[in-house]
């Protein structure tokens, strides 16, 4: 039996999970790889802090990542450092040295994926990243290999467990955003600085990777419309429930006649839909193919062992190919196809909308608001007008029929200029 030697960069939460799974399931992993799996080196700047369930003294631990990259006996590098640098430099060095790479680094792939894919092709090595999107859910392989006979029509879903946990708690317990965020941080579901998650950036990175695979199109991050959940209030969640909806942070990509819709934002979805039932830190993604129809992928989108499970799915597949002499062709990497789609401007998107207008309690205000919407070709599906909420304003809640984003933005600007509307109008898109 041949020996495939592995170098691990990063012994944080996921890196420790990778070590734990190798220790506890070595026989199973080696049987499925058809070779011995040797952890030849582990590099981390912190070589002394205890990791639960791991005996550090038993590991080939070093602070010098370069020594692993330069070791000619190491076949595979697993990069779990995160961030853009030095992860990008390390991966490029590994590829240049003819080493295969497994990474969970979605930010790096979203910003520098094209460069890394091309370098892997040029060097004739594997670059795998199942763990970069949706944690333990085997989504990347399903899209890349399981749906090759399909033209993908849409991909949408919940890709950030932190945001889903916050919105679930707000929905179930009627709590405000700030209170739930503090609780999520206390439980370890949110980072000390949660900006990357709650502003939608993490979700946008994952969507960009999925777009490259599903639509064989490369969309720059700046062309993915991205909004977070910081402006979602308990009040809006309550109105959503009253109207038969739930609010989720969705990643949405759709092929249209005008190009590719690519957007991340809070979205109202019907309370009876499968996505509405996805709670806590779980992720769920719907993929629609022209041959297979609708598919749903559901599971833990983060966490030590679920993500480590995805890392090993890549590492074992690469080890199997090394052991059996299967050369990398580059065909498994994302590439722009002959029908690659450009990003459709957000202004052209058509969807339904929820609006909460905070207006002074005076006669004729509702007719002014609806008149402005009508002037911008936006028709109203339903209206809820509540009693006095504050001394300054009362909420007028409207659901619209499908309208164009450009028209809605122009209408909102006009509504917010009304003297009787002292506060900015809240708008949430409806799918």
């Amino acid at each position: 039996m041949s020996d495939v030697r592995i170098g691990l960069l990063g012994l944080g939460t996921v890196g420790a999970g990778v070590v734990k799974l190798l220790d506890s399931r070595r026989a199973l992993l080696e049987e499925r790889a058809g070779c011995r799996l040797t952890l030849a080196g582990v590099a981390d700047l912190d070589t002394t802090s205890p990791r639960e369930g791991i005996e550090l003294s038993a590991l080939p631990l070093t602070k010098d990542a370069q020594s692993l990259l330069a070791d000619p006996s190491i076949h595979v590098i697993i990069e779990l450092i995160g961030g853009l640098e030095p992860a990008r430099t390390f991966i490029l060095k590994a590829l240049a040295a003819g080493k295969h790479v497994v990474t969970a680094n979605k930010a790096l792939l979203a910003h520098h994926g094209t460069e890394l894919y091309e370098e892997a092709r040029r060097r004739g090595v594997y670059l795998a990243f199942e763990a970069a999107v949706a944690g333990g859910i085997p989504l990347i392989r399903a899209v890349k290999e399981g749906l090759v006979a399909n033209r993908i029509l849409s991909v949408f879903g919940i890709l950030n467990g932190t945001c889903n946990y916050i919105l679930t708690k707000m929905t179930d317990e009627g709590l405000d955003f700030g209170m739930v965020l503090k609780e999520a941080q206390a439980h370890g579901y949110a980072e000390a600085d949660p900006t990357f998650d709650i502003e939608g950036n993490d979700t946008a990175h994952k969507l960009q990777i999925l777009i490259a695979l599903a639509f064989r199109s490369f969309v720059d991050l700046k062309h993915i419309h991205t909004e977070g959940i910081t402006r979602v209030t308990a009040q809006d969640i309550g109105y959503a429930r009253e109207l038969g909806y739930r609010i989720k942070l969705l990643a949405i990509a759709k092929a249209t006649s005008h190009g590719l819709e690519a957007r991340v934002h809070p979205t109202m979805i019907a309370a009876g839909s499968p996505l509405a039932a996805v709670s806590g830190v779980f992720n769920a993604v719907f993929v629609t193919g022209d041959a297979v129809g609708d598919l749903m992928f559901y599971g833990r989108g983060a966490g030590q062992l679920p993500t480590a499970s995805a890392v090993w799915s890549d590492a074992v597949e690469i080890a199997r190919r090394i052991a059996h002499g299967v050369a990398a062709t580059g065909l498994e990497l994302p590439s722009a196809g002959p029908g690659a789609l450009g990003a459709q401007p957000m202004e052209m998107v058509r969807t339904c909308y929820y609006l909460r207008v905070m207006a002074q309690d005076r006669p004729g205000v509702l007719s002014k608001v609806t008149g402005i919407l009508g002037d911008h070709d936006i028709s109203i599906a339903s209206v809820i007008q509540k009693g006095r909420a504050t001394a300054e304003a009362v909420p007028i809640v409207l659901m619209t029929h499908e309208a164009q984003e450009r028209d809605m933005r122009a209408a909102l600007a006009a509504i917010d200029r009304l003297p009787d509307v002292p506060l900015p109008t809240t708008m949430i898109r409806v799918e």
Side-chain angles (χ1 to χ4, degrees), residues 19 23 26 80 98 169 284 294 327 338 340 357 386 401:
V19 174
D23 286 345
R26 176 180 292 277
L80 298 175
K169 292 285 285 188
D294 296 331
V357 183
K386 296 289 186 178
H401 292 294

Side-chain angles (χ1 to χ4, degrees), residues 268-321:
M268 282 192 178
I269 54 177
S273 71
L275 271 181
V278 177
S279 62
V281 296
F282 282 80
N283 286 189
V285 180
F286 276 88
V287 180
T288 302
D290 61 349
V292 76
D294 296 331
L295 298 172
M296 178 178 175
F297 300 86
Y298 169 83
R300 293 187 180 276
Q304 183 182 67
L305 294 183
T307 308
S309 168
V311 169
W312 275 115
S313 76
D314 283 335
V316 166
E317 177 65 19
I318 291 173
R320 183 188 299 126
R321 294 180 181 186

Side-chain angles (χ1 to χ4, degrees), residues 88 105-121 127 129 208-209 212 218 333-334:
R88 171 182 166 274
N105 196 331
K106 65 263 186 183
L108 181 62
L109 294 174
H111 284 277
H112 299 292
T114 303
E115 176 189 22
L116 299 177
Y117 305 146
E118 288 306 314
E119 181 67 2
R121 285 192 187 92
L127 172 61
F129 46 90
Q208 197 262 10
I209 295 168
F218 290 107
L333 290 167

Side-chain angles (χ1 to χ4, degrees), residues 127-139:
L127 172 61
F129 46 90
E130 181 66 65
V133 179
I137 304 172
L139 179 62

Side-chain angles (χ1 to χ4, degrees), residues 166 208 232 300 341 367:
I166 291 171
Q208 197 262 10
V232 177
R300 293 187 180 276
L341 299 170
S367 64

Side-chain angles (χ1 to χ4, degrees), residues 38-123:
T38 300
L39 191 58
V42 180
D44 195 286
L45 293 176
D46 180 0
T47 59
T48 58
S49 296
R51 273 73 160 181
E52 184 181 354
I54 294 177
E55 181 55 56
L56 293 183
S57 62
L59 293 178
L61 195 56
T62 177
K63 291 185 178 182
D64 183 13
Q66 300 289 351
S67 64
L68 274 62
L69 300 175
D71 185 343
S73 73
I74 291 179
H75 304 96
V76 181
I77 291 290
I78 297 176
E79 182 275 309
L80 298 175
I81 299 170
L84 301 184
E85 288 291 356
R88 171 182 166 274
T89 297
F90 287 166
I91 289 179
L92 287 173
K93 285 187 176 181
L95 297 174
K99 301 184 189 304
H100 310 285
V101 173
V102 175
T103 181
N105 196 331
K106 65 263 186 183
L108 181 62
L109 294 174
H111 284 277
H112 299 292
T114 303
E115 176 189 22
L116 299 177
Y117 305 146
E118 288 306 314
E119 181 67 2
R121 285 192 187 92
R122 194 164 72 87
R123 301 293 181 173

Side-chain angles (χ1 to χ4, degrees), residues 244-272:
Y245 291 89
R246 298 290 183 269
I247 299 176
K248 298 290 187 181
L249 182 73
L250 292 192
I252 300 170
K254 298 179 183 179
T256 75
S257 58
H258 301 290
L260 187 68
E261 284 186 23
R263 45 194 171 103
V264 172
H265 51 70
T267 309
M268 282 192 178
I269 54 177

